[in-house]
Amino acid sequence: MVLAVLLGLGLWQFARHGQLDAARWAPFTQWPIWKYLLVGLLGTLEAAAYVAVLSAVAGVFLALGRLSGVRVVRWLATGYIEIARTLPVLLMIYVTLFALPSVGVNLPLLWKLALPLTVANAAAFAEIFRAGILSLPRGQSEAALSLGMTRAQAMRYVVLPQAVRHVTPSLVSQLVSLLKDTSLGYVVAFTELLYRAQVLSAYNHLLVQTFLVVTFIYLVCNGSLSFVAHRLRRSSERTHG
């Protein structure tokens, strides 16, 4: 109810200042405008895909490292996770944008965004995977060991597959956060959706309309992922209920 009232007040203010006039929205009925924004969306999805794959792989190893019986490995994995979760992503982007080039490391624009996002999201994925592993009964790994598997084989073939199934809704929810973080690509001038919106609004002088359209695109993308996560969570609850 409160949200509906706030939305109504916002629309009333926009209408009062002429922001809802048909002439201001006419450019967004043209394909070239949408094509320009969709290229930015493609860049957003590309960056998110790279970050998701790399973060998931790194997250598995970090989770295993944090659960390792080797003290040094456990300390290193724990230290990385705690530091990466504490540092602001924007600060890490500034490192790739300014600090690395000063020492001769100049990454492509995509990786100036993807690398810091991977550093941050790997820690988040690691905690999700670790929670999934710890949620399994100990009998799962013990049964695998009794069949003659090594601990590594038991983890790879028995524990990890089940843990991933248990935490799939959380993984999808993390993808929503990851997709939103790609909007920081405007800092490095990477061609993602928000950066394209900034350029377009500077060109057509339709700031409100442009960013409302971009907001709608983000709502569709993130809303779809959230819906998938919700359905997966409900399905998981029915399976284990």
Side-chain angles (χ1 to χ4, degrees), residues 37-53:
L37 291 175
L38 290 176
V39 170
L41 177 61
L42 183 62
T44 292
L45 297 176
E46 180 187 12
Y50 278 116
V51 175
V53 172

Side-chain angles (χ1 to χ4, degrees), residues 1 7 17 42 56 71 106-107 130-131 143 162 169 218-219:
M1 181 63 182
L7 181 61
H17 292 88
L42 183 62
R71 184 178 300 177
N106 195 8
L107 300 173
R130 185 171 74 98
Q162 294 187 69
Y218 273 117
L219 284 174

Side-chain angles (χ1 to χ4, degrees), residues 42-72:
L42 183 62
T44 292
L45 297 176
E46 180 187 12
Y50 278 116
V51 175
V53 172
L54 294 175
S55 297
V57 173
V60 169
F61 285 103
L62 287 167
L64 296 177
R66 191 160 190 180
L67 295 170
S68 173
V70 181
R71 184 178 300 177
V72 174

Side-chain angles (χ1 to χ4, degrees), residues 16-225:
R16 182 184 175 193
H17 292 88
Q19 297 297 337
L20 298 183
D21 293 349
R24 289 182 172 271
W25 290 94
F28 297 97
T29 63
Q30 301 172 11
W31 170 242
I33 295 293
W34 280 98
K35 181 179 179 181
Y36 183 81
L37 291 175
L38 290 176
V39 170
L41 177 61
L42 183 62
T44 292
L45 297 176
E46 180 187 12
Y50 278 116
V51 175
V53 172
L54 294 175
S55 297
V57 173
V60 169
F61 285 103
L62 287 167
L64 296 177
R66 191 160 190 180
L67 295 170
S68 173
V70 181
R71 184 178 300 177
V72 174
V73 174
R74 186 169 66 251
W75 284 355
L76 289 174
T78 301
Y80 174 92
I81 291 171
E82 294 303 324
I83 292 172
R85 293 174 65 189
T86 302
L87 292 176
V89 177
L90 186 58
L91 176 61
M92 290 188 277
I93 291 177
Y94 282 144
V95 170
T96 63
L97 186 60
F98 300 114
L100 292 185
S102 69
V103 294
V105 180
N106 195 8
L107 300 173
L109 285 181
L110 170 62
W111 292 103
K112 286 181 179 178
L113 172 66
L115 180 60
L117 289 183
T118 299
V119 170
N121 281 276
F125 275 99
E127 290 297 88
I128 293 173
F129 287 128
R130 185 171 74 98
I133 293 171
L134 292 176
S135 69
L136 295 179
R138 294 194 52 158
Q140 296 289 335
S141 57
E142 291 173 355
L145 293 174
S146 68
L147 293 175
M149 290 186 180
T150 64
R151 290 191 178 276
Q153 289 174 328
M155 179 62 70
R156 179 179 178 183
Y157 296 112
V158 178
V159 176
L160 266 181
Q162 294 187 69
V164 170
R165 281 198 297 271
H166 283 186
V167 300
T168 295
S170 298
L171 293 175
V172 177
S173 295
Q174 182 60 31
L175 290 179
V176 175
S177 176
L178 187 160
L179 191 63
K180 289 187 294 185
D181 285 345
T182 59
S183 63
L184 291 171
Y186 79 91
V187 177
V188 299
F190 173 68
T191 303
E192 49 80 42
L193 184 57
L194 187 60
Y195 178 73
R196 287 246 160 174
Q198 290 180 320
V199 174
L200 180 61
S201 63
Y203 171 76
N204 62 17
H205 305 293
L206 298 173
L207 180 69
V208 172
Q209 291 74 17
T210 300
F211 280 94
L212 283 177
V213 168
V214 169
T215 298
F216 172 76
I217 296 174
Y218 273 117
L219 284 174
V220 170
C221 293
N222 288 329
S224 299
L225 286 174

